[in-house]
Amino acid sequence: MAATPQLPAAAIAEHMIRNVPHGAALGMEVVSVSDDCGSLRVPWREDLVGDAETGVIAGGVVTALLDHCCGLAIKAARGDTSMTATLDLRIDYLRPAEPRAGITAEAHCYKLTRSVAFVRAQAWDVTPDDPVATAQAAFMLSGAPA
């Protein structure tokens, strides 16, 4: 199998938010991307609210953002846009988001093996010092042995 060419981290991030349908539908924005980290944001929108009485963004949006952000960190670490599959995603919801607040997530790919990537992430509304949720995840890497 031919190696996938190395791409700049910014190009990888833009590819993910424009070409992955749920990333585009949620309006994900790139905050930052580096060698093995990525940060994305979903601005608050009324159609993303989980509870109309509180105006708090839906938990499913937080889940999708964390999962997508973890994928960005893996792609940045690998330097390509190859596919990954979520094997395990544990999310601890620590508190509700602030009403009418967008959510930012940051993920770090701390270990790559031949077949699995390991990632930690957190999501927050106002400050990273007070997260809404944290995540620990493992992803299967494309081209990995069956």
Side-chain angles (χ1 to χ4, degrees):
M1 180 164 83
T4 305
Q6 292 286 314
L7 296 172
I12 293 168
E14 288 300 320
H15 171 83
M16 286 188 69
I17 63 168
R18 290 190 181 160
N19 297 316
V20 177
H22 72 271
L26 292 174
M28 290 184 189
E29 302 170 346
V30 177
V31 175
S32 66
V33 61
S34 64
D35 293 340
D36 55 6
C37 294
S39 182
L40 299 171
R41 181 174 184 343
V42 172
W44 185 90
R45 290 191 335 231
E46 193 168 344
D47 64 321
L48 300 179
V49 168
D51 180 355
E53 287 186 31
T54 64
V56 172
I57 205 161
V61 174
V62 176
T63 298
L65 177 63
L66 284 166
D67 186 54
H68 207 70
C69 197
C70 287
L72 174 58
I74 295 165
K75 290 172 185 355
R78 293 183 81 189
D80 64 32
T81 58
S82 59
M83 298 296 291
T84 60
T86 308
L87 294 172
D88 181 50
L89 177 62
R90 176 196 162 89
I91 299 176
D92 291 318
Y93 288 92
L94 306 174
R95 64 176 179 82
E98 292 294 320
R100 303 185 67 82
I103 302 292
T104 302
E106 182 175 67
H108 172 235
C109 178
Y110 64 92
K111 177 73 174 174
L112 283 172
T113 70
R114 283 181 352 134
S115 58
V116 179
F118 299 90
V119 186
R120 291 184 186 107
Q122 68 175 14
W124 66 89
D125 48 8
V126 178
T127 174
D129 296 332
D130 188 17
V132 169
T134 60
Q136 176 80 28
F139 292 78
M140 183 174 64
L141 303 174
S142 67

